Amino acid sequence: MTEFQTEPLDALRSYAGARRPRRLRRTAALRDLVRETTLAPDDFVFPFFVVPGDGVRNPIASMPGIAQISVDTLAGEARELESLGIKATLLFGIPVTKDALGLESYAEDGIVQQAIRALKDAGPELVVVSDVCLCEYTDHGHCGLLDAEGYVLNDETLEILGRIAVSHAEAGADVVAPSGMLDGMVAAIRSALDGAGFERVAILSYAVKYASAFYGPFREAAEGAPRFGDRKSHQMDPANAREALREAALDVEQGADALLVKPALGYLDIVSSVRERFPELPLAAYNVSGEYAMVKAAAANGWLDERAAALEVLTAIRRAGADLVVTYHAKEAARWLQGSGA
Ligand code: PBG
């Protein structure tokens, strides 16, 4: 050892002697012991895209591993979720016919209503969350009724959202999840549900949903892309953070039982600030289709280790403060977690 090295090294040793965070990273068991954020299958919500027909399984090209499926396949799906320890599903429906008013959205024998019944028959314990929005049901692909200029009418649409929620509750949904970002949607749905005797059905509000480019693959899956225009007059501007707290506060006031932030990965700051401001409510975050597609595409090219990357993404969303993560990776992640015993 040269003289030149000795003195600084001694100084460093005495400093580091008391401060060596690496001590707790030395072995896998030590790391397990001090891990702050856990990931388990019952943190996940797995979405289904349900289509009319029998024995249908249409893979969605931009979401490898995910398919549009028909109602008859749901019993098998419910068993699979159960065996993986996943406790909840989020349902989207693609109707037989679309029209300007989205009439099938609240039909008693509509596609989602049938799907809810099938899932509840197959696995009464499975938590069924249903998406409440008009975009999959309207021929123009917008989230509500439109005026002559193509503006989504707010209060006129609220009444329909209430009917959709009641029809889902009648079919047996445990939780309804309004995703349209209309003002007053939680209050309208709460009063419609209570008026119909469904005070036990919970509302998970997409309280903070951004007008994001990362919904692209979903729109292929749900066939709900707007035919013209965009959703910027109701979904939030990705540049805004303080406004998210206002949106969340309004939904809490209106009686939301749980909140959701969407997308998740580019919005971890929002997840964290909503968690901090409303610590008493369960918080979900939606790891959306484009976020899933990015990991899948990179993995398919051999550019990322999919398992490690996906588990890191899900852990990051939980670390930011989400209790629940809606994710297309749910089944694979549950298998990876079972396999590793983590
Ligand atoms: C609307 C809805 C969308 C998503 C969930 N619900 C699309 C949109 O707002 O345009 C996107 C989910 C995803 O990208 O995975 N009902």
Side-chain angles (χ1 to χ4, degrees):
M1 220 169 260
T2 66
E3 245 179 275
F4 158 75
Q5 277 178 333
T6 312
E7 273 190 47
L9 205 56
D10 282 348
L12 178 63
R13 281 222 177 91
S14 74
Y15 168 83
R19 303 172 185 81
R20 289 186 190 273
R22 289 185 57 193
R23 284 183 191 122
L24 296 178
R25 293 182 207 135
R26 191 172 49 82
T27 68
L30 278 165
R31 293 191 291 274
D32 286 349
L33 202 63
V34 299
R35 182 161 302 122
E36 297 175 32
T37 306
T38 58
L39 208 53
D42 61 4
D43 300 327
F44 305 143
V45 181
F46 185 70
F48 288 125
F49 299 102
V50 188
V51 288
D54 226 21
V56 181
R57 184 159 210 104
N58 294 331
I60 298 153
S62 54
M63 299 173 73
I66 305 293
Q68 295 177 327
I69 55 177
S70 50
V71 171
D72 58 296
T73 67
L74 288 172
E77 292 283 342
R79 281 192 294 276
E80 187 184 13
L81 293 187
E82 195 191 344
S83 74
L84 291 169
I86 297 168
K87 307 268 165 81
T89 175
L90 176 59
L91 284 181
F92 297 98
I94 294 98
V96 181
T97 48
K98 304 190 184 213
D99 55 61
L101 304 177
L103 290 175
E104 199 180 315
S105 61
Y106 53 88
E108 201 193 324
D109 61 347
I111 188 77
V112 164
Q113 291 78 359
Q114 291 179 40
I116 295 169
R117 287 194 195 94
L119 284 169
K120 278 296 181 186
D121 280 350
E125 314 256 281
L126 182 70
V127 176
V128 175
V129 187
S130 63
D131 186 81
V132 175
C133 191
L134 274 172
C135 59
E136 289 116 46
Y137 300 91
T138 50
D139 51 10
H140 44 67
H142 282 286
C143 306
L145 304 179
L146 301 180
D147 71 8
E149 274 87 55
Y151 182 79
V152 175
L153 292 165
N154 199 87
D155 301 7
E156 293 80 349
T157 302
L158 293 182
E159 204 240 307
I160 302 184
L161 297 183
R163 286 193 210 183
I164 300 175
V166 168
S167 75
H168 291 177
E170 277 166 351
D174 300 287
V175 181
V176 294
S179 64
M181 287 298 282
L182 298 189
D183 295 333
M185 67 183 183
V186 172
I189 288 172
R190 186 72 271 158
S191 101
L193 286 172
D194 292 356
F198 292 111
E199 54 286 308
R200 291 189 192 167
V201 172
I203 300 177
L204 164 65
S205 180
Y206 286 65
V208 183
K209 175 171 174 182
Y210 288 88
S212 171
F214 289 86
Y215 307 151
F218 172 94
R219 292 182 185 171
E220 180 193 341
E223 301 177 18
R227 288 268 191 85
F228 52 86
D230 53 41
R231 305 211 202 285
K232 292 180 182 165
S233 80
H234 44 108
Q235 298 181 349
M236 279 180 58
D237 181 342
N240 292 357
R242 297 188 304 264
E243 191 188 349
L245 297 175
R246 180 164 191 241
E247 280 287 358
L250 290 172
D251 285 12
V252 172
E253 253 172 56
Q254 290 170 43
D257 299 288
L259 303 174
L260 183 143
V261 171
K262 176 180 167 188
L265 197 50
Y267 297 81
L268 295 178
D269 56 331
I270 309 299
V271 173
S272 162
S273 61
V274 172
R275 161 90 293 160
E276 216 171 292
R277 182 71 71 91
F278 303 99
E280 67 278 18
L281 259 75
L283 180 61
Y286 201 139
N287 181 211
V288 299
S289 57
E291 297 171 341
Y292 174 79
M294 286 196 298
V295 173
K296 283 283 175 188
N301 275 296
W303 298 340
L304 276 180
D305 170 345
E306 181 176 4
R307 174 190 158 130
L311 290 176
E312 185 175 329
V313 165
L314 296 171
T315 302
I317 295 167
R318 293 258 306 134
R319 189 197 63 230
D323 302 301
L324 302 173
V325 188
V326 181
T327 175
Y328 304 102
H329 262 121
K331 287 184 187 175
E332 284 164 299
R335 274 188 207 103
W336 292 327
L337 293 172
Q338 279 177 353
S340 72

